[in-house]
Amino acid sequence: MRYGLPLKELFVAIRAMKDSELVTHFLPRRPPISNRVRELRETHGPMTQAALGEAIGVTRQTVIAIEQGRYSPSLESAFRIAVLFGVGLEDVFQWNG
């Protein structure tokens, strides 16, 4: 059983959904936060994604995901980014919720 339904009932429910419903129901949603990390990184240096990751204690892949809006950083990482660029947290991250 998945999603609280027996497998056969789940397949019937999925077949009944429209394509747009399938996309919104099963695909992960982006976090409701936008950011200026890439812009700040490129104007303060320019700094590579790897260098930013090393400076704040995350991987280059994490920096890429943050810049693309696929991942919201921890509060600690968000503050580290803001401090590194000498700006306020609100100047880096914006709530779009």
Side-chain angles (χ1 to χ4, degrees):
M1 276 178 95
R2 290 185 178 181
Y3 303 104
L5 295 172
L7 198 52
K8 184 177 179 181
E9 289 180 34
L10 179 62
F11 286 131
V12 170
I14 290 173
R15 271 192 249 147
M17 289 182 165
K18 296 177 186 171
D19 287 343
S20 60
E21 292 172 327
L22 284 170
V23 169
T24 58
H25 186 75
F26 290 104
L27 289 181
R29 295 186 182 116
R30 287 183 176 252
I33 297 173
S34 61
N35 69 73
R36 296 178 48 229
V37 174
R38 183 178 188 151
E39 174 188 340
L40 291 166
R41 181 177 58 78
E42 290 175 348
T43 59
H44 285 79
M47 177 184 287
T48 65
Q49 292 167 328
L52 175 58
E54 187 174 323
I56 65 168
V58 301
T59 65
R60 179 182 65 86
Q61 289 82 2
T62 299
V63 172
I64 291 168
I66 291 169
E67 288 183 354
Q68 292 177 347
R70 293 184 292 115
Y71 176 76
S72 294
S74 69
L75 191 54
E76 181 179 349
S77 292
F79 273 106
R80 287 177 188 259
I81 292 168
V83 168
L84 181 68
F85 294 126
V87 297
L89 199 57
E90 312 82 30
D91 296 321
V92 183
F93 298 97
Q94 299 78 40
W95 177 258
N96 302 321

